[in-house]
Each structure stands twice: as structure tokens, then as C-alpha cells.
Amino acid sequence: MKLPDKIGTLEEAVSCIGDGASVMIGGFGVPGTPFTLIRELVRQGPRDLTIIKNDANEADMGVDHLLVSGQVARLVTTHIGLNPRAIAMMNAGEIEVEFNAQGILAERIRAGGAGLGGILTDIGIDTELANDKQRINVDGKAFIVESALRADVALVHADRADPFGNLAFAATARNFNPLMAMAAARVIAEAEQLVPLGDLNADDVHTPGPFVDELVVLNELSEEYAVVQR
Amino acid sequence: MVARAADEIAPGMVVNLGIGLPTKVVDHLGPDFPVCLHTENGLAGIGPTHPPETADRNLIDAGGAYVSTIPGSAFFDSAVSFALVRSGRLDLTMLGAFEVSQHGDLANWKIPGKFSPGAGGGIELAQKARRVIVLTTHTDRAGNPKLKEACSLPITARGCVARVFTDMGVIDVTDTGFALVEIAQGITPAEITEATGAPLALPKGDIPTF
């Protein structure tokens, strides 16, 4: 037996994203952000998107291009402090922003990926993040209900991949990528390096291939992937 | 103040240092000091920071600084990272603050109408670290006290702060409110009391300085 090949073209892979789609995008700052897939999403231009990402990147990088092009209707995130445009658009009502506690966003996505309905947590129970959320007592302790999150499409960035879509991430570029790779109806991975089947040791696979629908191999890395000069 | 705060880190601890002043605490720990520094974006065992020329583009801390690994470092995803925080494995966090109340309530994530970038991982750090220490200036830029009877800004977490380090002193949050532990050299008890927006209990006898 041989595992199937999922390598596709950039254009074809991203073409499944239509107007109104929800899109999870991996990355925490630069590491792990699938800049090439985002650029193609900008080029193809679907609108009214719900973007689910830890942060909004910085000016002229990643999610910022989607904000400039006016494709984002809603942003589900944890912190957008490094992107003044995202804050300005939120304040002007041009995009809707939903803030989550960072680990709770991760758990909501993990729950979505695990086929669960949501999670119970006391995180933020004293804050305005708990407003309008259902409260439940379990064994005398108060929790709020955080619903599971799934998306139509997840865009993730891997360091290494084999043709089946087994993925390995590098250093702190892992972050939300393996969680989002479980939580979308269609999962598209870009990878810096394609290795033959079997070259990724089975013990070293971070995201198992069955979660991945399409693999885009990066022939070169744009400047966006580089070390940020501050 | 930052050097004094470094004394709070005991050998063997797992510690998360928040963005800003707290990050500088690490500069006062010796290279062989046994501690595991954690960052929310998925690393336990943070090594020294690097200039852009030698940085690994995939290796940052939660503040975006290019850091490094040390022997024994581990990477993990964002769910694992906060499992570590919420399950009580984080011995200590040091955070910045807009306001701290006499009951240990912390406000450090939002100034309505002015500053609302989102809390990131701050709520979980404040609510779940075993010990929460705040490093901040004693007053804001306008000279208003940051230590208050009650927070006026949106709360990050209630009753979480154990101790506050400021440019004027070291203050504990006790069952009966703020208590001065140490005072900065050149500051008088009257001055720090005046600059504090809630009752401040003074220690009996001589007040240690730093």
C-alpha cells in the first residue's frame, strides 16, 4: 500500500475559499504564518471573510494585506496590538473584532477539531469577555461555556511535509497551526520543504496526514518570512 | 526595582515574564541560575535574545523578541502552552499594570476608548499563575496613583496580585490591604503614602530599603 499524494497548486488550493467563508490562519506573529497562502487569498479576492487568527500580524504583512483589500468582515483573535490598521478599522466599525483569551482560543479550536461542542472554563469569568456567555456550575464551581470553533478552511504553514500531508513545524512556528489543522472542513498546508514519504519519522510528525486536504510546496520564501528588523 | 524583583525568582521555578519591564528581570539572573522561563507562544526554556543578524526567524517570545533555546528547551503548541499555565505548573508570573486594587485585582489589558488591543494571554497568566507579581511605576504619567482602593478600568483578574514592585517601594497585597515591605532609597514613607490611592500599612520599626 502507498499513501495518497495531496500536492496541489497554490491557485487551485486557495480557490475553494469563497465569499463569506470562515478561514483559520496559523501563526503567532511571523513564525508559522502562511504568508504565501494569504497572498493568494488576496489575489483571488473573496470578500466578507471571517478570519480566525491569534493576531493581525504587522503593517504590510500577512493579515494586514487582507485588511487593506477590504476582504475581512470579522476577526476572531486574541491581540492586535502590533497592527495599528486593525485597531483603527475596529474602532471605525469597518471590521468586527471578537477577542478571546489566548489559551481559550486555542482550546475552542482544539475542541472544534476534536468533535466537541465546547469547553467549560473559569478564565475571564470576572471580565467583560464573559459577558453574554452561559454560566454552568459543576461540583460547586462556576464556569462559563466557550463554544467550539470550526472553520470552512484552515491555512497552515509547515516547515517540512511529505506528499501525504504529514507535517512538522519549526520552533515557535508551531503555535496554532496543529490545532487549526484539525478544525476546518478543508485544510490547506504550505510547506517550506517537501520530503519523500518515510523521511519524516513517524514519531516526529506533528500533524498527521489524514487532517490535511491539500499541500502547497513553497519554492521560495518571500521577505515576509524573514527576521523582522525593528 | 527590576534587580530587586529578580530576587523573587527561586531556583527550580517555572516563570513567565510579561512584556515590558518584567522581561528585563532576566538580565539580573546569572547564566547558571536554575530556572525554566516559559513563553506563551510555545517554548519552555528560553535562552538569550539575539540581534537580527543571528536570529532564527522561527524563534521568538510572545513579545516578538528573537530568543534562543538552551539545553533541554521544549517547543509545543498554543493549547499545551496554556495547559501549562492553567493547570498550575507556572510558579510565578511578573506582569505590568494600569491599576492594582487593595484586594489584588489587576487591570492591565484595556483602557476603554484609548487602548484595546486584546488581552492576549494576560488573563490566563494573571488568573492561574501560582504567584503573580506586578512591576509598574507607582503613578501614571499624569501622576495619578496606580495602586487604588478599587480598579476603575476593566479587570484582568480579581484577587490575583500578591506583591507589587514600583519605583517607590515593594508593596504586599494582604487580607487587610496594601502593606509596605521595602522602600526605595531617597523616598520617605510620607511620599509613598501620598502617592498611593489606598491605605498603606507601614512596617513597624525601620523600613528596609532597596
Side-chain angles (χ1 to χ4, degrees), chain A residues 24-38 53 154-161 167-178 180-181 187-193 206-207 212 214-218 220-222 224-226, chain B residues 57-58:
Chain A
M24 288 181 177
I25 301 179
F28 187 120
V30 169
T33 298
F35 292 109
T36 303
L37 294 174
I38 295 172
K53 188 183 189 297
L155 306 179
V156 302
H157 174 91
D159 182 58
R160 286 152 291 144
L167 307 178
F169 307 100
T172 57
R174 192 181 313 186
N175 54 66
F176 282 82
N177 279 302
M180 291 176 169
V187 174
I188 303 168
E190 59 169 52
E192 296 187 23
Q193 193 187 344
H206 297 143
T207 288
V212 177
E214 198 144 14
L215 179 68
V216 175
V217 180
L218 302 175
E220 57 179 344
L221 296 179
S222 65
E224 287 178 275
Y225 294 92
Chain B
R57 64 187 166 85
N58 288 315

Side-chain angles (χ1 to χ4, degrees), chain A residues 141-162:
Chain A
K141 274 200 72 181
F143 295 97
I144 54 177
V145 178
E146 293 278 6
S147 60
L149 263 182
R150 285 187 65 83
D152 297 322
V153 180
L155 306 179
V156 302
H157 174 91
D159 182 58
R160 286 152 291 144
D162 66 23

Side-chain angles (χ1 to χ4, degrees), chain B residues 65-77:
Chain B
Y66 289 95
V67 295
S68 58
T69 54
I70 53 177
S73 296
F75 296 119
F76 33 80
D77 66 48

Side-chain angles (χ1 to χ4, degrees), chain B residues 1-9 17 20-29 94 133-137 165-170 210:
Chain B
M1 151 187 162
V2 172
R4 170 63 186 86
D7 294 343
E8 297 287 327
I9 299 177
L17 300 173
L21 269 182
T23 307
K24 299 188 187 340
V25 171
V26 72
D27 300 337
H28 298 275
L29 298 175
M94 295 193 187
I133 289 177
V134 161
L135 270 66
T136 181
T137 54
F165 285 83
T166 78
D167 48 318
M168 299 183 85
V170 180
F210 67 95

Side-chain angles (χ1 to χ4, degrees), chain A:
Chain A
M1 272 177 289
K2 187 188 175 205
L3 290 165
D5 187 321
K6 298 173 183 173
I7 300 171
T9 67
L10 177 61
E11 181 174 358
E12 180 191 275
V14 173
S15 67
C16 67
I17 303 173
D19 289 351
S22 55
V23 184
M24 288 181 177
I25 301 179
F28 187 120
V30 169
T33 298
F35 292 109
T36 303
L37 294 174
I38 295 172
R39 281 283 195 176
E40 179 62 16
L41 186 56
V42 171
R43 196 189 69 78
Q44 295 194 15
R47 304 188 72 78
D48 198 24
L49 301 175
T50 293
I51 299 296
I52 303 163
K53 188 183 189 297
N54 176 64
D55 54 89
N57 291 117
E58 299 174 49
D60 299 323
M61 301 176 76
V63 168
D64 192 54
H65 299 305
L66 289 164
L67 295 172
V68 170
S69 61
Q71 289 170 267
V72 181
R74 191 158 175 268
L75 184 60
V76 179
T77 188
T78 79
H79 189 270
I80 57 175
L82 291 179
N83 190 325
R85 189 190 322 275
I87 291 178
M89 290 178 77
M90 171 180 73
N91 291 340
E94 294 165 10
I95 56 171
E96 180 191 340
V97 176
E98 177 197 311
F99 287 116
N100 289 251
Q102 199 164 87
I104 298 307
L105 181 64
E107 286 299 321
R108 291 180 67 196
I109 293 167
R110 198 184 62 79
L116 307 175
I119 59 163
L120 303 181
T121 181
D122 63 349
I123 293 299
I125 201 162
D126 294 325
T127 75
E128 62 185 53
L129 293 185
N131 289 354
D132 306 324
K133 284 175 184 159
Q134 187 184 347
R135 288 179 184 245
I136 289 183
N137 276 295
V138 178
D139 295 336
K141 274 200 72 181
F143 295 97
I144 54 177
V145 178
E146 293 278 6
S147 60
L149 263 182
R150 285 187 65 83
D152 297 322
V153 180
L155 306 179
V156 302
H157 174 91
D159 182 58
R160 286 152 291 144
D162 66 23
F164 181 52
N166 287 310
L167 307 178
F169 307 100
T172 57
R174 192 181 313 186
N175 54 66
F176 282 82
N177 279 302
L179 306 168
M180 291 176 169
M182 297 190 292
R186 189 163 184 83
V187 174
I188 303 168
E190 59 169 52
E192 296 187 23
Q193 193 187 344
L194 177 70
V195 301
L197 283 174
D199 268 28
L200 274 182
N201 189 309
D203 269 334
D204 298 333
V205 171
H206 297 143
T207 288
F211 285 112
V212 177
D213 294 295
E214 198 144 14
L215 179 68
V216 175
V217 180
L218 302 175
N219 296 316
E220 57 179 344
L221 296 179
S222 65
E223 281 185 6
E224 287 178 275
Y225 294 92
V227 169
V228 180
Q229 307 282 337
R230 294 181 201 282

